Amino acid sequence: LIPTTPDTLAAYPYHDRDPFIMAEAPHVLFAGGQPEFGTSVVEGPDGQQVRVVAVPDFASTGTAVAAFADTECQITVTADQVQ
């Protein structure tokens, strides 16, 4: 979950556990700073379903993403729509 640790975030070794490993699969996993919007549902080894959402960098793409609990994710605003 924290791919740049320990380079940009402080992280200390733990003897009995790794706090950066999730015990349960989330329903939604956001990956920010991506080059473009994308989404898909990934199935885990035990049948869990996780929606993965690639969220583009707004400053460079002008794209905002909305995620709703009962529907799929979608692009909601693009830079050319903002006045």
Side-chain angles (χ1 to χ4, degrees):
L1 268 189
I2 305 177
T4 61
T5 299
D7 296 336
T8 60
L9 297 171
Y12 303 96
Y14 290 82
H15 296 288
D16 58 342
R17 63 185 176 88
D18 185 342
F20 303 115
I21 295 179
M22 295 183 284
E24 297 179 15
H27 295 284
V28 180
L29 181 65
F30 295 95
Q34 302 303 306
E36 62 184 24
F37 168 76
T39 183
S40 66
V41 176
V42 178
E43 188 167 327
D46 296 325
Q48 322 89 308
Q49 291 191 336
V50 178
R51 174 164 297 281
V52 179
V53 183
V55 180
D57 177 45
F58 184 79
S60 61
T61 66
T63 302
V65 175
F68 302 95
D70 59 346
T71 62
E72 293 191 13
C73 298
Q74 60 188 13
I75 295 174
T76 59
V77 177
T78 57
D80 58 339
Q81 294 173 324
V82 178
Q83 300 285 335

